[in-house]
Amino acid sequence: MKILDSQGRLFGKVSLLDIGAALVIFLVVVGIFFFPGTSGAQIGVTTKPVEIDVIVRGLSVRDPQQLFEQGLKPGGKTNIIIRNQPYGQVGVKAVKQLPRTTLVPQPDGSVKALPDPRENQYIMDMVVTLEGNAQITKNGPVIGNSKLKIGIPAQLEGFNYDFTGGVIALRFPEKG
């Protein structure tokens, strides 16, 4: 009796390729279930509370009060998207509307920023303070799978708004 026939079958019944494929599948299953490792988990990473200040400039809105009452308000939640990566919901700690100013030349040649006298501009600037948790790595804070750094764009989305601002400050308050 021959061990291999002319078609590469073992004892004329089982193909060597079938045995190889079954062995590979078996090793993958053993590797996944018995040796899962630390894939996806980072060793030595701590999670801390973080406050994120996002500045929004030139937001076109007819009624800012409606924006604040129905959506973006302290104590509420907002969805945040960092570098086109959705993170989920974070808390809204504070919303501060910034005064609109215009540059006015002075007789002595200097320039002053004075309150803008125009009405019905439908444009506003604001700073939104968000609070959540970030993983602290050796390269800085990470929220979701995105590094959190000053200068990156952050998109905020809620019931009646969807706009983008820039991160201008990060704080790590101690809970106590």
Side-chain angles (χ1 to χ4, degrees), residues 46-52 87 93 130-136 141-143 148 170-176:
T46 60
T47 301
K48 292 174 83 173
V50 63
E51 290 181 359
I52 309 159
Y87 168 69
K93 184 173 183 181
L130 306 171
E131 53 188 359
N133 291 315
Q135 295 178 341
I136 309 303
V142 174
I143 188 168
L148 193 58
L170 298 170
R171 290 181 299 283
F172 303 97
E174 294 297 324
K175 299 282 182 179

Side-chain angles (χ1 to χ4, degrees), residues 82-96:
I82 300 172
R83 293 184 178 158
N84 293 326
Q85 297 294 319
Y87 168 69
Q89 288 194 333
V90 292
V92 178
K93 184 173 183 181
V95 180
K96 179 182 177 188

Side-chain angles (χ1 to χ4, degrees), residues 54 82-83 143 146-154 165-168:
V54 177
I82 300 172
R83 293 184 178 158
I143 188 168
S146 300
K147 291 180 184 174
L148 193 58
K149 308 257 183 185
I150 293 173
I152 65 165
V167 175
I168 59 170

Side-chain angles (χ1 to χ4, degrees), residues 54 56 59-78 92-99 123-129 156 158-161 163:
V54 177
V56 180
L59 180 63
S60 299
V61 59
R62 181 169 186 198
D63 185 5
Q65 226 29 58
Q66 180 185 14
L67 171 68
F68 300 138
E69 289 172 2
Q70 292 183 0
L72 195 63
K73 58 185 169 187
K77 298 275 186 188
T78 187
V92 178
K93 184 173 183 181
V95 180
K96 179 182 177 188
Q97 190 171 351
L98 301 174
I123 296 174
M124 66 179 275
D125 300 335
M126 65 180 162
V127 174
V128 181
T129 302
L156 304 179
F159 174 72
N160 61 345
Y161 60 90
F163 52 80

Side-chain angles (χ1 to χ4, degrees), residues 1-15:
M1 176 177 229
K2 288 185 177 182
I3 295 178
L4 290 176
D5 64 2
S6 63
Q7 296 174 342
R9 296 187 183 276
L10 190 61
F11 299 116
K13 303 221 182 234
V14 181
S15 170

